[in-house]
């Protein structure tokens, strides 16, 4: 039976490191469709498909972050049998953080690295007015400000009618989130930010340093809020570098067993 969380198929059994990728608000697993070609050998890119999008468009989307984190943690748990990392962009970055905290509370293996992209530190107060309950025109305008949706799609009334419930749900996830302090994660953390991101300025990224007891580093990428797409190769270079220790160890084991 097909696992709905992994539309491309089950995570590779032979992978030395699995990279679980979480989408931005309104996005789907397809946001990472080009990452497989960029990844080095034995680093398996595993985009997750959240309810209400992609192949799961018929399912009701989740509207709160903690139930979403609980569900994603449950989906990842069977695949924590080998080294893995978690990457998330925008909403996905905050989700990746809360998923990792959920895994820790459950006593499950933690990722070897956490990558947070275009997401303000969790204790930064949101200043933008909420739009998840606003008229459709206001939700569409917010999408235009975010800049990740092509104008021709925003002008497609039938498509937007299909997608707006999921977009509203994702905005609700972000706009109702309440940060709860916990001890820092014992997981190395890399935080990406955009030079021209109007929604998440660099100053809002500094607080991430307090969320890891294993070290945190900040990498600034050229671009706006959706630098994720044009800078995919640059991001993968950083990710592969962070996973290099695990990949090298796997290669050594393979050579010894040859």
């Amino acid at each position: 039976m097909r696992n709905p969380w992994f539309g491309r198929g089950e995570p590779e059994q032979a992978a030395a490191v699995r990279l679980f990728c979480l989408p931005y608000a309104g996005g789907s697993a397809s946001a990472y469709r080009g990452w497989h070609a960029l990844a080095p050998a034995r680093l398996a890119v595993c985009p997750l498909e959240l309810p209400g999008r992609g192949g799961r468009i018929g399912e009701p989307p989740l509207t709160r972050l903690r139930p979403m984190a609980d569900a994603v943690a449950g989906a990842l748990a069977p695949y924590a049998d080998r080294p893995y990392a978690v990457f998330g962009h925008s909403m996905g970055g905050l989700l990746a953080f809360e998923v990792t905290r959920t895994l820790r509370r459950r006593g499950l293996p933690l990722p070897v690295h956490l990558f947070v992209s275009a997401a303000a530190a969790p204790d930064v107060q949101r200043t933008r007015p909420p739009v998840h309950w606003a008229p459709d025109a206001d939700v569409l305008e917010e999408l235009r400000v975010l800049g990740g949706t092509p104008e021709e799609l925003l002008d497609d009334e039938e498509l937007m009618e299909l997608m707006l419930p999921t977009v509203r749900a994702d905005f609700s996830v972000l706009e109702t989130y309440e940060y709860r302090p916990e001890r820092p994660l014992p997981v190395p953390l890399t935080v990406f930010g955009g030079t021209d991101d109007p929604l998440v300025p660099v100053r809002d990224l500094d607080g991430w340093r307090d969320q890891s007891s294993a070290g945190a580093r900040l990498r600034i990428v050229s671009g706006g809020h959706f630098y994720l797409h044009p800078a995919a190769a640059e991001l993968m270079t950083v990710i592969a570098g962070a996973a290099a220790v695990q990949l090298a160890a796997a290669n050594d084991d393979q050579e010894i067993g040859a």
Side-chain angles (χ1 to χ4, degrees):
M1 183 176 179
R2 186 180 68 86
N3 187 334
W5 290 96
F6 300 100
R8 290 180 56 91
E10 296 286 323
E12 296 177 21
Q13 292 299 318
V17 182
R18 293 170 175 145
L19 175 66
F20 296 108
C21 299
L22 300 170
Y24 44 80
S28 69
S30 65
Y32 300 102
R33 59 181 174 270
W35 282 39
H36 303 271
L38 299 173
R42 307 204 70 192
L43 174 63
V45 178
C46 308
L48 276 86
E49 194 74 274
L50 303 179
R53 66 209 78 207
R56 307 181 71 180
I57 191 67
E59 300 180 39
L62 297 168
T63 60
R64 295 294 185 271
L65 193 137
R66 285 188 175 81
M68 185 182 283
D70 286 341
V72 173
L76 295 189
Y79 305 101
D81 59 334
R82 66 187 58 234
Y84 71 96
V86 183
F87 176 98
H89 185 82
S90 196
M91 179 191 77
L94 186 60
L95 176 58
F97 168 67
E98 286 293 348
V99 165
T100 305
R101 299 215 294 182
T102 300
L103 292 167
R104 176 172 65 180
R105 287 193 293 271
R106 295 183 183 181
L108 295 170
L110 297 181
V112 297
H113 209 102
L114 177 60
F115 300 94
V116 172
S117 177
D123 56 348
V124 171
Q125 293 295 313
R126 183 180 175 89
T127 58
R128 296 183 66 78
V131 296
H132 69 272
W133 46 260
D136 288 354
D138 292 352
V139 178
L140 292 174
E141 181 58 29
E142 184 73 0
L143 290 175
R144 286 189 172 90
V145 171
L146 288 172
T149 308
E151 196 67 28
E152 60 268 23
L153 298 185
L154 292 172
D155 291 338
D156 187 328
E157 293 184 6
E158 291 186 5
L159 178 62
M160 286 298 102
E161 183 178 355
L162 180 66
M163 289 304 303
L164 275 179
T166 296
V167 172
R168 286 182 182 277
D170 286 350
F171 283 155
S172 178
V173 165
L174 292 170
E175 293 166 0
T176 61
Y177 173 72
E178 295 181 5
Y179 171 69
R180 298 175 185 173
E182 292 183 14
R183 67 188 188 279
L185 290 166
V187 176
L189 174 63
T190 296
V191 180
F192 297 101
T195 55
D196 303 308
D197 189 340
L199 302 178
V200 186
V202 173
R203 65 177 179 274
D204 286 351
L205 302 174
D206 289 339
W208 281 112
R209 301 181 191 278
D210 299 327
Q211 300 300 331
S212 171
S213 61
R217 59 175 178 165
L218 179 62
R219 296 293 296 260
I220 303 303
V221 179
S222 178
H225 190 66
F226 281 93
Y227 58 79
L228 173 74
H229 301 304
E234 181 179 352
L235 298 180
M236 182 54 68
T237 296
V238 176
I239 291 168
V245 173
Q246 287 76 28
L247 292 171
N251 289 334
D252 288 344
D253 290 343
Q254 189 176 45
E255 290 176 5
I256 290 172

